[in-house]
Amino acid sequence: MGLLSLGSPLSWEETKKWADHVRKHGIQQLINIYRRLKDRHGDVLKWGDEVEYMLVVLDENNRTARLSLKGNQVLEQLEKRERESPNDPPTTWRPEYASYMIEGTPGKPYGGLMGHFNMVESNMRLRREELLSLLDRELGETAISFTVFPRLGSPAFTDPQVECNPTVNTASRSLFFPDAAINHHPRFRTLTRNIRERRGEKVCINIPVFQDKNTPKPFRETFPNGDEESRKAAKDDHIYMDCMGFGMGCSCLQMTFQACNIDEARHLYDQLAPLCPIFLALSAAAPVYRGYLADVDCRWNIIAGSVDCRTREERGLEPLKDDKFVIPKSRYDSIDCYLTPEAQKYNDIELVLDQDICQQLEDAGIDRLLARHFAHLFIRDPISLFSEKIHLNDDEESDHFENIQSTNWQSMRFKPPPPNSPIGWRVEFRPTEVQLTDFENAAYVVFIVLLTRVILSYNLNFLIPISKVDENMQEAQKRDAVRQGLFWFRKEVLPPNECCEEDPKPKPAPKSYSQCNGSCQQEEYTKMSINEIINGQAGGFQGLVSLMNSYLETVEIDVDTRCSVQQYLRLIQKRASGELMTTARWIRAFVQNHPKYKYDSVVSDEIAYDLTKVSDEITKGIRSCPELFGTLNSRTKVSLPPVVHKKLKKENPDHDILT
C-alpha cells in the first residue's frame, strides 16, 4: 500500500505545517528523477501482481466467521522466511491496512517470455500455501481472498473480539470498525487519524441497501444517544460507514508493468485507463457491507469515500477561505487526464491543478501534459509524515514525491523510476477486485498483461473522453453491471488502414494514427455491453478476445502455455457473456437462497459463516463451483480455436491436452 516509511508519525497539525515543504521538495525530487531518466531506453517488459488476503477464523461449534487480527504475527514469520531463504525467495510479503490483511507478490518480476504466463497461477498457489502453513487449522484459521468480508463492521466481527466505540477508537472515532483492526505499522493509524482531522469530521460513506421484499422501508440506521454526527451523515435506505477501514480494509488485485521507456509507459497508461471500468465490472466481488446486502457490486466508491480528506470548502459546501481549491473527487478515484499528445483531445473535464507547480515543471523541461498531471496530484496535502523523514537529500531520495504520489490512489498510476535503481518507468492497473481462487486471479492478471502486448503490437486505440470513463466507472459498480450495464467504448480500435483491409485479421499496425477531426469524434464511440466489448458483435466491434487470439497466432508459444492462456480467456469470455457468474452475483445468490435468509437484506452470522466456509472450500479445491467457473480450471482440457488446434496438434501429436 504505497510508501511504508518507518519512524515517529506526526499529528495532522504538525504535518500541516510541513505540507508546503513536502510539496516543494517532492516536486524537486520528481524533476531530478525526470532529468536523469527521461531518456532511459531499452528496459525489457517486467510485470507482477499483488494479491491481498484476509485471515479468517471459522468456529464450527458456534457457526461464526471472524476476521483474525494476527496478521502482524503471521507477516513477521513470512518475512523471516523471506530473509532466510538461501536463494531468491519465490514470494514476497508486505503489510496491508488492516490487522487481518496480508499482501503477497511474486519474489521477482515476470518477464517478456510467453511461458511466464504459465507461472502466475502456480506462484499464487505457492503464496496461498505458504500463508496457510502458518495458520492453525485446528482452530479454524484460514486465508481467503475476499474483496470484502461480509460482516465487516458488524458487532463482534474480529477474533479476538475488541471493544468498538468512538472513545476507544482514537484514530478513526468509528462506531463500527475498531482501531485494533488497523495494522500496527505506524503509517496506517496515522493515515486514518489525519484523514479524519484534515477533513474536519469523520469520513462519510453511504451506499444504497438492496431492497428485498422484507427490507424495512425506509431502511434507517440507529445510533447511540448523542451521536449527532452519524445521525446527520447517514441517509435513509443506505448502509452507513464511517472510517477508512471500510475501504482500505477491502482486498484487491493489482498489476504493474515496466515499459521500455517513458513514452511507452505514458501510452499504456492512457490506453488502459478506459479499460478500468470494464474490468471493475468483470471482477465485481463486493455486494455485502456491514452484514447487509447492498445495491452495488463493487468496492470502488466505498474506498473513495473512506479516504476522502477534503474539507467542506474543498467539497464545495462552503466558500473558499482557508483552502485553495474546490476538488471534485476524493484522492482515491478514477484518473482525471490522459498523458499522451494523441489523447489530449479527450481530456474533456476541467483539471484542478496548482499553476505554480505546473509552471515549475514546465520550466524544468517536462512537457505540459505530464506537468499538468503531476500538478494535479500535488494539489493534495501529505497526510502521513514521519519526523525522521522531513529533511532529505533531493538528489538521492524520493520520499516526499512518493508521499503525495502514493496517496493519490487512482484507477491507474504512472510510476517514475526510484532514484539509484534498476527499475524503469512503470504503470499500475488498479481497479480489479480480488477473486476467490488462484485460477480466477491468474486469469485476470494474464488477460490484462497479454492485452498490453496486443495494444503495443497492433497499436490499438481505446481512447474515449475522460468524462465517459468517469460515467463508466459509476456504471461498473451497479448491481449485475456485466449483464445489465452499457459502457462507452470505441467502435473501432484498430488503426484506420487496418480496419479497411479485406482480410480482417489484425497485423502489426503502423506507428501512428490519422487524426480524426472534431466533427467525427462523437462517432468514434458508442455504448456497448461487456459481452460485446469482450466477445464482439456480429457486424460490429470485433471484441478484445478476437484481437488477443489473432496476436497469439503470430507469436511463439509452447502448447502448455497456450492451453493455460486459453483457459483464462475462456473464463473472462464466459463471465462477460453472463454464462458464468461474477463473484458478486454468486455471493448475492448464495445469500438470497440461504434457508435462513429472511428477504430483509440482512446477512446474519450464520449466513456469513456458511458463505465463508463454502468460499474457503472453493478456494482450496474441496468444493466445485460451476456457477463461478464452470468446468474451467488450470487442469481442464480445453478446446482451442481450430487454426491453433491444428497447428499445435501437428507440432505436438502426443500431447494429452489436445486429444
Side-chain angles (χ1 to χ4, degrees):
M1 182 186 169
L3 181 69
L4 286 176
S5 298
L6 287 170
S8 306
L10 301 183
S11 69
W12 166 242
E13 286 304 315
E14 294 169 317
T15 301
K16 185 177 180 180
K17 296 174 184 176
W18 292 102
D20 288 336
H21 172 89
V22 171
R23 270 191 293 269
K24 175 184 175 182
H25 288 273
I27 289 298
Q28 188 57 55
Q29 290 166 6
L30 170 63
I31 289 170
N32 293 342
I33 291 170
Y34 180 82
R35 284 174 171 166
R36 282 198 302 266
L37 299 172
K38 62 184 173 65
D39 297 322
R40 175 173 173 160
H41 289 276
D43 285 317
V44 297
L45 169 66
K46 291 183 179 179
W47 54 277
D49 66 86
E50 303 170 18
V51 179
E52 295 168 358
Y53 306 89
M54 294 186 181
L55 305 184
V56 179
V57 178
L58 289 164
D59 184 339
E60 187 173 359
N61 293 329
N62 295 307
R63 296 184 63 77
T64 60
R66 301 284 187 256
L67 288 171
S68 170
L69 302 186
K70 63 182 292 184
N72 289 89
Q73 300 96 292
V74 174
L75 180 63
E76 286 176 6
Q77 296 177 70
L78 290 166
E79 290 180 327
K80 182 180 179 183
R81 284 185 182 179
E82 188 180 328
R83 289 191 303 270
E84 295 176 353
S85 174
N87 304 308
D88 290 336
T91 60
T92 301
W93 299 93
R94 295 293 177 263
E96 256 303 330
Y97 175 83
S99 295
Y100 53 81
M101 297 171 72
I102 297 179
E103 176 187 287
T105 66
K108 60 181 180 180
Y110 304 112
L113 297 176
M114 298 299 291
H116 286 182
F117 288 140
N118 226 11
M119 300 167 63
V120 178
E121 187 178 347
S122 60
N123 187 273
M124 288 181 176
R125 284 201 300 269
L126 177 61
R127 279 176 251 170
R128 197 180 295 270
E129 288 165 4
E130 283 189 18
L131 185 51
L132 289 171
S133 72
L134 296 175
L135 304 180
D136 192 331
R137 298 185 186 187
E138 295 297 318
L139 296 178
E141 295 178 350
T142 190
I144 303 179
S145 45
F146 273 137
T147 291
V148 60
F149 184 69
R151 287 186 61 80
L152 182 71
S154 301
F157 73 92
T158 63
D159 181 80
Q161 294 183 23
V162 291
E163 184 180 4
C164 184
N165 68 63
T167 58
V168 173
N169 297 332
T170 56
S172 68
R173 303 292 187 195
S174 176
L175 292 169
F176 316 109
F177 193 101
D179 282 3
I182 302 172
N183 190 294
H184 297 171
H185 190 289
R187 178 179 194 247
F188 299 110
R189 292 194 187 197
T190 302
L191 282 171
T192 304
R193 182 189 67 239
N194 288 0
I195 283 172
R196 174 179 57 80
E197 292 184 355
R198 187 189 187 283
R199 179 182 170 93
E201 58 193 21
K202 291 196 296 184
V203 298
C204 173
I205 308 160
N206 284 286
I207 57 169
V209 70
F210 174 72
Q211 292 286 349
D212 214 332
K213 62 182 181 181
N214 294 331
T215 306
K217 187 67 175 177
F219 175 89
R220 185 170 291 161
E221 301 269 21
T222 57
F223 303 104
N225 290 334
D227 192 342
E228 284 297 304
E229 181 178 0
S230 297
R231 187 184 64 79
K232 290 178 180 178
K235 296 180 180 179
D236 284 355
D237 299 320
H238 285 70
I239 304 164
Y240 169 66
M241 292 165 277
D242 66 350
C243 75
M244 185 176 177
F246 283 107
M248 290 301 185
C250 295
S251 295
C252 65
L253 172 68
Q254 296 172 345
M255 294 138 258
T256 299
F257 324 99
Q258 177 177 268
C260 70
N261 56 37
I262 187 174
D263 292 334
E264 185 177 275
R266 293 169 71 168
H267 181 67
L268 283 175
Y269 177 96
D270 286 359
Q271 295 300 329
L272 289 172
L275 296 168
C276 289
I278 310 307
F279 282 87
L280 179 60
L282 269 169
S283 63
V288 183
Y289 298 88
R290 277 191 52 226
Y292 298 106
L293 277 177
D295 206 30
V296 298
D297 275 359
C298 300
R299 78 201 190 286
W300 192 262
N301 283 351
I302 289 85
I303 309 185
S306 76
V307 295
D308 190 358
C309 65
R310 293 174 299 162
T311 66
R312 292 182 62 82
E313 292 180 19
E314 289 171 332
R315 283 176 277 151
L317 301 176
E318 295 177 0
L320 286 177
K321 180 182 176 183
D322 299 319
D323 296 304
K324 294 181 179 179
F325 310 103
V326 174
I327 306 174
K329 294 180 181 178
S330 166
R331 60 199 304 154
Y332 191 115
D333 216 312
S334 53
I335 70 164
D336 289 315
C337 64
Y338 295 119
L339 303 183
T340 56
E342 60 267 26
Q344 186 172 1
K345 65 181 180 180
Y346 299 103
N347 284 335
D348 66 333
I349 63 175
E350 183 178 355
L351 193 65
V352 181
L353 54 84
D354 188 311
Q355 294 291 351
D356 292 337
I357 288 177
C358 187
Q359 189 61 55
Q360 181 185 358
L361 292 170
E362 288 188 73
D363 290 345
I366 298 178
D367 65 86
R368 183 161 178 76
L369 281 170
L370 197 56
R372 285 170 58 83
H373 165 73
F374 285 115
H376 171 62
L377 300 186
F378 272 68
I379 62 175
R380 310 286 181 174
D381 280 338
I383 47 175
S384 176
L385 187 62
F386 296 91
S387 60
E388 296 85 350
K389 289 287 186 177
I390 293 175
H391 301 290
L392 303 174
N393 182 339
D394 293 342
D395 291 323
E396 301 295 329
E397 299 178 87
S398 62
D399 281 40
H400 286 324
F401 168 71
E402 289 294 344
N403 188 315
I404 293 178
Q405 157 96 342
S406 69
T407 55
N408 275 272
W409 296 282
Q410 297 187 331
S411 51
M412 294 292 303
R413 182 174 283 159
F414 178 75
K415 304 176 78 168
N420 305 313
S421 166
I423 298 172
W425 296 91
R426 296 149 296 149
V427 293
E428 185 178 11
F429 188 82
R430 300 175 48 79
T432 319
E433 306 214 319
V434 73
Q435 309 295 293
L436 289 176
T437 67
D438 302 317
F439 169 67
E440 295 166 279
N441 287 320
Y444 283 89
V445 170
V446 169
F447 194 102
I448 293 297
V449 178
L450 178 58
L451 189 54
T452 66
R453 303 306 94 193
V454 181
I455 288 170
L456 296 175
S457 296
Y458 290 165
N459 205 19
L460 300 183
N461 179 8
F462 294 121
L463 297 173
I464 59 174
I466 283 286
S467 62
K468 301 300 184 188
V469 177
D470 280 352
E471 284 185 41
N472 285 351
M473 286 297 287
Q474 297 308 309
E475 183 75 5
Q477 300 172 69
K478 294 179 180 178
R479 176 163 46 92
D480 205 13
V482 164
R483 295 192 300 169
Q484 307 297 330
L486 291 175
F487 297 80
W488 293 106
F489 207 76
R490 283 188 76 91
K491 297 177 182 178
E492 184 52 70
V493 299
L494 286 164
N497 60 334
E498 288 290 316
C499 307
C500 302
E501 300 239 356
E502 292 183 7
D503 177 7
K505 185 175 76 173
K507 304 175 184 65
K511 293 184 178 178
S512 61
Y513 300 103
S514 61
Q515 293 297 313
C516 174
N517 61 38
S519 63
C520 74
Q521 185 174 327
Q522 296 176 351
E523 301 173 3
E524 293 176 344
Y525 48 88
T526 188
K527 284 194 171 182
M528 299 185 197
S529 67
I530 295 281
N531 186 40
E532 290 168 336
I533 293 168
I534 298 297
N535 294 317
Q537 51 185 314
F541 180 62
Q542 59 268 69
L544 297 183
V545 171
S546 173
L547 293 166
M548 295 165 80
N549 277 325
S550 295
Y551 171 78
L552 287 169
E553 290 176 27
T554 69
V555 297
E556 291 189 13
I557 181 170
D558 66 271
V559 60
D560 283 330
T561 302
R562 184 67 172 93
C563 291
S564 295
V565 170
Q566 199 62 34
Q567 290 275 44
Y568 300 147
L569 297 187
R570 289 287 175 82
L571 176 71
I572 303 300
Q573 284 186 285
K574 291 186 176 187
R575 290 266 171 98
S577 70
E579 180 180 344
L580 295 178
M581 292 181 171
T582 62
T583 306
R585 184 176 153 211
W586 177 79
I587 290 174
R588 193 180 295 278
F590 185 98
V591 170
Q592 291 181 292
N593 289 300
H594 194 281
K596 294 298 179 68
Y597 179 62
K598 299 178 181 179
Y599 304 97
D600 55 358
S601 307
V602 174
V603 181
S604 66
D605 256 330
E606 187 171 357
I607 296 173
Y609 169 79
D610 287 338
L611 172 62
T612 305
K613 189 172 190 298
V614 169
S615 298
D616 188 45
E617 291 172 352
I618 292 169
T619 295
K620 293 173 178 173
I622 299 170
R623 179 189 293 260
S624 63
C625 189
E627 301 93 341
L628 278 176
F629 30 83
T631 58
L632 295 171
N633 61 58
S634 57
R635 292 166 290 280
T636 303
K637 296 181 180 181
V638 297
S639 174
L640 296 168
V643 63
V644 179
H645 184 283
K646 184 177 180 181
K647 177 184 176 184
L648 292 179
K649 181 65 176 174
K650 183 177 180 180
E651 296 172 353
N652 305 269
D654 299 323
H655 204 287
D656 178 65
I657 204 165
L658 295 174
T659 58

